[in-house]
Amino acid sequence: MEKNNTFLVFIKKNISLAAFVILFLLFSCTTTGKFLRISNLLSVLTASTDLLICSLGATFIILMGSIDLSVGSMISLCGVIAAKIYLSTNSILLTLFAAVLVSAVCYLFMGVIHTQLKVPTFIVTLGMLSIARALVTMVSGGSITMIDYNGKIKQIFGLRPWILIIAIGLFAAVWVVEKFTLFGRFTRLVGGDENVARLSGVNVKKQKILVFLFAGLLTAIGGIVMAARIGSGSPSVGQGYELDVITAVVLGGTAQTGGVGGVRGTLIGVLTIGILANGLILWGMPSEVQLLIKGLVVIFAVAVSTERKQNMIVR
Amino acid sequence: MEKNKSAVVLRGLKKYFPGTKALDWDEDDIIEVKAGEIHGLVGENGAGKSTLFQILMGIYDMTGGQMELFGKPYKPKSVYDAEKAGLSIIMQQPNFAYNLTVAENIFLGQDKKFLNKAGMIDWKRQFEAAKEVLHKFKFDHISPTALLSELGFEETKQVEIARALSSEPKVLLVDETSAAISKSSVDTLYQLLKEQRDKGCAVIYISHFIDEVHELCDRVSILRDGRLITKLEINASVSPDFIIQNMVGRDVSDAVYRSEASHSIGEVMLKTKGLKKDGEFEGIDLCVHSGEIVGIAGIGGCGSDSFGKALFGYDRIQGGEIYFKGKPVKINSPLEAMKLGIGYIPKDRDKEGLFLIYDSVVNISAANMKNVSKNAVINHRMEQKIAVESIQKFLIKTPSETTSVSDLSGGNRQKVAISKWVVNDSEFLIVNSPTRGVDVGAKYEIYKILEDLKNQGKGILLISDELPELIGMSDRVYCFKKGKISGEFTRDVFTEERLAGQMV
C-alpha cells in the first residue's frame, strides 16, 4: 500500500515523463519500426527545436504567474525580420541583432504596460498577439521572404547538427539561470507570492520586466530557428503557436498559478508533444485529429497531476 | 421560544490541526447554552474560541466530541446547514461581497425569496425588505442600494449585524465585535443582543474585554490553550479580575517573558517626527533605541498596523520625517527599508511573511539573497547551512529543512518568518503580533528570541493587541488611539489598567 502510494505520487509529479514514456512505447510498437528509426527520431528533435526555445522563455513567464499569448505572432515577426535583414546584409550577427532588438522592444513594451499600468499579462499579451501579427503583415507586405538553402543562416539555425546544438545549449544555459542565479530565484519568489516577494525586498516590477525581456530574447532566437528550419520568413506562420507553447510548459509540470515547475519539465513537455505529433502522422491521422488528441492530452495530464485538495479555487 | 430550555450543548470537543490542538476538551467537558441567555466565551488568543465558532458554523469538522441543538444531535456540514438550523454569526472580520449592494449582501443566498413570476429577482422588493431590516435595527443612515465597498468600516459592521439578525436566529454567535466599533455602536449592539436574549435567542459572545463580558453575560465559559477551564455564573461574587485570573491561568509575572535587565539599551536608532497617513495615523513622534523593545498598544483600527507597514515602506506615508541612526531617510519600498537594515515580521504571516508553497530554506533566505550569493550566483550549500542552523537555534519543529512550510504548525511557521529577518542581520525589527495564533510553548520560545535580539543591541518595535505580551516584553510602550499617540509609559510604571485606559 505504502509503496503503491509513493509510486502514484511519483507519477503525479512526473506526469509528462509518464506520458512521454507511454507514448514512446506505444508508437514504438505500433508503427512497424518506422518511429524508432534514427532518422525519424532526429527529425522529431529537429522539428521541436523552435518550440523548445520559445517554451524556455515562456516557462519563466508562467513560473512568475503570468502568461504570454503573443509568442506565435512574435516568432513570425522575428522570422520575417531575420529573413529580410539576412537577405539584404548577409550578416548573421546583424540578423540576430535585428531580430533580438525588435523582440526586446515588443516584450519591454508588454512588461512596462503590465507593471506600470497594471494591465494583466493575459490582456497585454493578447493585445500584442494582434499588434505583432499586424506589424509582420505590414513589414512583409503579406508575402514570404525565402531563405537560401545554402546560406549560412540556414546551415546554422535550420539544419542539423547546429540547430540541435543551439537548442541543447540554450536549454542548458536557461536551466542554469533558473537553478543557480538570483534572477531564477526571484522569478520563483514572485510566482510563489508576489506580495511576500515584495515584502522580502524583491523589486517585483523590475523582475517582471526583466523576465519579459528574457523571454523576448528566447522568442527572437526561436523565430529565427523557425524561419531557417522551414526555409522562409512567413507572415502567416505561428498562428495558434502560443497554445503549443503553453501546452508544453503546462504538460511539463509548471503550474499556471506560478512558482512551481521549471525548464526541465518543459523539455519533456516539448518532446512529448513532438513524438505525439510524429506518431499520429505515422499512424496516418489527419491533422484535425492530431489537434483533437493534443487537446485531450493536455487536459488529461493537468487533471491527473493537480492536487485538488490544495486548490480549493480553480480559475 | 421557551426560555431556559437548553439550546446548544457542546460535549468533549476536539479539533486537531497538523502540529497543534486548537480544541482539546476532556470527554466529560460540557458547555450548555440556554435559550434566552447571553453566554460569554473568553480566553486568550489561541484558546480555541474562534475554532469553536467555526465548528458550530460548519466551517470546520470536529476531530472528536458531540454537539446538540435543541436536544437533537447537531453536525453541520456547511455554513448553509448551520444557517438552516437557525444559527447566525457576527464575525471579527466581516465577510462580504464588496462589489454588491447592501441589500444583496443582507440577503446573500436568499435570492429565491425575491423571485417574481418571470423567475427574475425583484430588486425593488429586495431593496424594500433590506430597508425594513436596516430600519428595524436603527441603521437608517445606510442606504440599501449603496455598494458595500463604498461604506466605512463601522457601517460595514452594522450591515453585518443587520444581516445576522435579519434571519431571526435561534442561536447567535458574536465574535469580538466591539473591538472594532465605536462606543455608541457598541451600546446599540448590546441593546440588540439583549433584545435577542429577551426574545429567547441563545447568544454566545466572544470578547477580550472582560468588563463588558462581566456586564453583559449571564454566564461565562473560560477556555485556555484549547481546554475548557471553567464555567462561571455571573453574580456579585464573581469579579472581572477573577475571570482574568482563570483566563490567563498563570502568574503574569515578568519572569516568563524576559529578564528585567536593561543594560542593552543604547543610542537612538529610529526616530519619527509628525508621521502621517490619511485615515490611519497622524502626528506620530516616537523613538526606539538600540537594544530596546518598544511596544505599541492599541485596539484594532487604531493605526498601529499601518504605522508598522509605513515604517517598512509597504504603506506610503503622506507627511513627517523618519530618522535612522540620526540621519533623515526616505523609505519608499521594502527594499529601501531593508537596505537600511530594517526588517518586518508581519501580522499575517501566511499572506505577508511566508511563501507557503516553498520550504524552510527558500523562506529563510528570501530576504537574505545578497549574503548567500556572489555575482548573482546562489550558493546553495551556504543557504542550506544557514537554514539548518536557524532550525536548530530556534527549535523549529520540521521533518527537514526541505519540508514545505505549509506543513508546519502556526508557531513553527512564525519562527521561520522570524528567522528570515534574523539571518539577514537586520538591525531594526518591526514585529507585529508575533505570537498571534501560536501555541503557548512556541510563544515563550518566540519571546526568548526577541529578548536575545534585544541583548544583541537590535532595536525592536513590537506592535501587538495583547497587553500581557506588551507589558511582559517592552521597555517602553506607546498607546495608540484613533491614529494618535495617546500615552507613553516606561517599564517601571505600566500596568494593564493604565495601558487599557489610554487605548479605549
Side-chain angles (χ1 to χ4, degrees):
Chain A
M1 193 65 201
E2 187 69 6
K3 256 187 195 161
N4 204 354
N5 228 346
T6 40
F7 180 70
L8 267 180
V9 169
F10 178 80
I11 293 293
K12 274 190 170 187
K13 277 197 174 157
N14 297 279
I15 187 71
S16 59
L17 191 61
F20 178 76
V21 171
I22 291 168
L23 287 175
F24 195 91
L25 292 177
L26 181 69
F27 291 133
S28 302
C29 301
T30 54
T31 53
T32 59
K34 272 187 253 166
F35 177 74
L36 276 180
R37 259 184 228 145
I38 297 291
S39 63
N40 183 56
L41 292 178
L42 278 175
S43 77
V44 170
L45 286 179
T46 311
S48 304
T49 44
D50 50 282
L51 183 62
L52 175 65
I53 295 168
C54 291
S55 300
L56 291 175
T59 304
F60 266 66
I61 289 189
I62 295 178
L63 204 52
M64 201 170 62
S66 302
I67 193 96
D68 178 14
L69 301 176
S70 71
V71 56
S73 304
M74 286 305 303
I75 56 161
S76 176
L77 179 60
C78 294
V80 165
I81 294 216
K84 281 200 174 292
I85 298 286
Y86 188 73
L87 195 65
S88 55
T89 65
N90 242 346
S91 154
I92 294 239
L93 263 178
L94 274 178
T95 303
L96 246 177
F97 178 76
V100 167
L101 183 73
V102 168
S103 183
V105 168
C106 291
Y107 275 86
L108 182 67
F109 173 78
M110 290 192 278
V112 169
I113 296 285
H114 166 55
T115 53
Q116 301 304 319
L117 302 183
K118 304 208 191 310
V119 182
T121 49
F122 185 93
I123 301 297
V124 179
T125 59
L126 184 65
M128 186 53 82
L129 172 107
S130 302
I131 295 169
R133 186 64 66 187
L135 287 178
V136 69
T137 313
M138 288 178 213
V139 169
S140 66
S143 56
I144 60 173
T145 309
M146 296 304 291
I147 290 175
D148 180 12
Y149 189 87
N150 297 313
K152 251 201 278 171
I153 194 158
K154 174 75 183 176
Q155 300 297 318
I156 293 180
F157 288 100
L159 289 173
R160 288 195 295 270
W162 277 108
I163 185 171
L164 291 179
I165 292 171
I166 288 175
I168 293 167
L170 281 174
F171 167 76
V174 173
W175 180 74
V176 167
V177 167
E178 176 202 304
K179 187 118 177 52
F180 295 99
T181 67
L182 288 182
F183 179 76
R185 174 64 64 85
F186 287 158
T187 305
R188 216 170 262 277
L189 292 186
V190 171
D193 192 324
E194 203 176 311
N195 223 359
V196 180
R198 187 173 295 118
L199 280 165
S200 304
V202 177
N203 189 336
V204 173
K205 279 185 181 174
K206 184 176 132 198
Q207 184 64 26
K208 284 184 162 180
I209 291 174
L210 285 178
V211 167
F212 265 88
L213 277 175
F214 184 70
L217 171 72
L218 287 161
T219 303
I221 300 174
I224 298 173
V225 166
M226 168 72 108
R229 193 165 64 76
I230 61 175
S232 68
S234 158
S236 61
V237 81
Q239 300 201 21
Y241 194 76
E242 57 281 352
L243 301 181
D244 280 359
V245 170
I246 295 168
T247 303
V249 175
V250 170
L251 199 58
T254 301
Q256 318 98 287
T257 43
V260 179
V263 292
R264 264 198 306 184
T266 300
L267 175 65
I268 310 241
V270 168
L271 291 178
T272 308
I273 291 181
I275 61 166
L276 182 65
N278 180 260
L280 291 175
I281 291 170
L282 293 180
W283 276 0
M285 293 278 180
S287 64
E288 61 271 22
V289 178
Q290 294 175 34
L291 205 58
L292 184 106
I293 292 180
K294 210 156 68 181
L296 287 175
V297 164
V298 69
I299 293 174
F300 183 70
V302 172
V304 173
S305 61
T306 305
E307 195 65 66
R308 255 174 227 79
K309 268 186 198 159
Q310 287 174 3
N311 291 334
M312 298 272 284
I313 299 168
V314 176
R315 282 180 206 276
Chain B
M1 268 179 278
E2 207 181 315
K3 280 206 185 172
N4 281 327
K5 209 174 85 178
S6 156
V8 183
V9 179
L10 310 170
R11 188 178 290 116
L13 289 190
K14 291 184 200 305
K15 174 67 197 174
Y16 298 165
F17 293 104
T20 164
K21 295 177 177 178
L23 278 178
D24 190 23
W25 295 7
D26 289 334
E27 290 300 327
D28 50 357
D29 280 341
I30 289 187
I31 291 184
E32 188 188 12
V33 184
K34 292 185 178 133
E37 77 162 335
I38 300 181
H39 192 105
L41 202 56
V42 300
E44 291 187 293
N45 283 0
K49 298 161 299 186
S50 295
T51 308
L52 197 156
F53 270 20
Q54 275 159 323
I55 291 173
L56 271 169
M57 288 308 291
I59 295 165
Y60 288 149
D61 252 350
M62 298 180 277
T63 311
Q66 293 101 40
M67 298 191 286
E68 276 174 30
L69 194 67
F70 300 109
K72 289 191 199 112
Y74 171 65
K75 207 173 179 194
K77 286 198 183 68
S78 65
V79 177
Y80 179 76
D81 277 1
E83 283 177 349
K84 224 168 77 179
L87 272 76
S88 192
I89 186 166
I90 300 175
M91 271 184 280
Q92 208 172 355
Q93 301 284 341
N95 230 336
F96 280 119
Y98 285 91
N99 53 341
L100 300 183
T101 63
V102 170
E104 283 173 288
N105 272 290
I106 289 180
F107 297 111
L108 213 57
Q110 306 173 35
D111 289 328
K112 272 188 194 156
K113 279 191 197 167
F114 303 101
L115 294 186
N116 59 22
K117 277 180 195 142
M120 313 278 272
I121 296 173
D122 186 342
W123 297 109
K124 213 172 150 193
R125 200 144 55 87
Q126 196 183 54
F127 287 142
E128 301 277 299
K131 205 168 179 178
E132 209 169 290
V133 168
L134 289 167
H135 175 71
K136 194 166 147 197
F137 303 112
K138 304 189 185 73
F139 298 142
D140 291 299
H141 55 284
I142 300 171
S143 156
T145 53
L147 288 183
L148 237 283
S149 52
E150 293 167 354
L151 299 186
F153 187 79
E154 196 143 319
E155 289 166 323
T156 314
K157 199 76 214 179
Q158 290 165 348
V159 173
E160 159 140 66
I161 293 169
R163 175 171 73 175
L165 298 183
S166 71
S167 62
E168 305 201 331
K170 293 184 208 127
V171 177
L172 178 65
L173 313 179
V174 185
D175 193 351
E176 287 172 7
T177 311
S178 53
I181 54 180
S182 68
K183 187 79 180 79
S184 68
S185 309
V186 170
D187 292 341
T188 320
L189 175 69
Y190 287 175
Q191 199 50 46
L192 289 171
L193 292 188
K194 282 178 189 159
E195 275 170 25
Q196 292 296 318
R197 171 185 65 189
D198 296 341
K199 270 167 61 182
C201 176
V203 180
I204 309 180
Y205 181 58
I206 294 180
S207 176
H208 277 316
F209 297 96
I210 303 307
D211 289 338
E212 298 177 354
V213 170
H214 188 261
E215 187 190 311
L216 190 70
C217 298
D218 304 299
R219 290 191 300 154
V220 173
S221 294
I222 298 170
L223 303 183
R224 188 200 310 150
D225 306 332
R227 322 251 329 155
L228 177 62
I229 299 305
T230 186
K231 293 169 285 184
L232 300 169
E233 200 84 37
I234 301 284
N235 53 41
S237 67
V238 175
S239 69
D241 282 345
F242 184 71
I243 297 176
I244 291 175
Q245 256 176 42
N246 273 289
M247 212 173 102
V248 181
R250 56 178 177 266
D251 196 11
V252 199
S253 70
D254 307 314
V256 283
Y257 289 97
R258 52 164 270 207
S259 73
E260 281 307 311
S262 56
H263 55 77
S264 60
I265 298 179
E267 303 280 298
V268 172
M269 195 172 232
L270 180 122
K271 196 170 148 186
T272 67
K273 250 193 188 159
L275 228 54
K276 180 181 136 187
K277 179 177 161 63
D278 285 346
E280 296 286 352
F281 53 84
E282 61 176 325
I284 304 295
D285 299 330
L286 58 70
C287 69
V288 181
H289 299 77
S290 63
E292 184 185 37
I293 300 180
V294 172
I296 296 185
I299 56 173
C302 68
S304 60
D305 289 345
S306 170
F307 177 72
K309 283 183 181 171
L311 275 186
F312 192 60
Y314 191 49
D315 265 3
R316 283 289 176 87
I317 53 167
Q318 282 155 331
E321 289 139 47
I322 303 174
Y323 298 87
F324 193 71
K325 293 180 167 174
K327 287 190 199 118
V329 290
K330 289 253 181 300
I331 302 175
N332 290 320
S333 72
L335 187 58
E336 288 178 33
M338 266 173 70
K339 280 182 181 155
L340 292 170
I342 299 177
Y344 175 69
I345 297 164
K347 185 174 192 170
D348 190 340
R349 65 175 160 269
D350 289 352
K351 285 199 180 128
E352 298 180 335
L354 295 172
F355 299 94
L356 288 179
I357 59 171
Y358 297 139
D359 60 16
S360 300
V361 178
V362 171
N363 271 290
I364 289 175
S365 62
N368 193 32
M369 294 314 295
K370 265 227 170 79
N371 295 327
V372 295
S373 63
K374 204 175 164 190
N375 300 326
V377 175
I378 299 169
N379 184 341
H380 283 167
R381 276 169 73 184
M382 187 171 163
E383 194 182 36
Q384 177 132 359
K385 196 174 138 238
I386 290 175
V388 170
E389 279 169 10
S390 297
I391 287 169
Q392 288 167 352
K393 195 163 124 201
F394 300 137
L395 309 169
I396 298 171
K397 284 184 212 102
T398 171
S400 98
E401 70 277 8
T402 53
T403 304
S404 156
V405 293
S406 60
D407 289 339
L408 307 186
S409 73
N412 288 304
R413 283 186 199 182
Q414 185 67 25
K415 289 190 207 164
V416 172
I418 294 174
S419 304
K420 176 172 155 186
W421 294 104
V422 174
V423 296
N424 77 351
D425 294 321
S426 299
E427 290 178 89
F428 183 83
L429 285 172
I430 301 155
V431 186
N432 194 339
S433 308
T435 60
R436 181 172 177 252
V438 162
D439 48 288
V440 181
K443 214 167 175 168
Y444 291 100
E445 285 163 19
I446 289 169
Y447 293 145
K448 181 80 180 57
I449 298 172
L450 291 180
E451 186 182 0
D452 285 348
L453 293 172
K454 166 187 152 73
N455 288 334
Q456 288 163 27
K458 304 193 191 275
I460 296 174
L461 187 70
L462 176 64
I463 302 168
S464 175
D465 42 21
E466 283 188 60
L467 283 180
E469 170 170 301
L470 287 167
I471 291 173
M473 292 305 297
S474 309
D475 293 294
R476 268 185 309 130
V477 171
Y478 292 95
C479 291
F480 270 45
K481 183 178 169 183
K482 289 185 185 158
K484 287 180 184 154
I485 291 180
S486 56
E488 182 189 346
F489 299 93
T490 50
R491 187 164 182 81
D492 44 343
V493 300
F494 48 50
T495 61
E496 211 156 316
E497 290 74 33
R498 269 199 157 146
L499 294 183
Q502 295 301 322
M503 282 160 53
V504 285

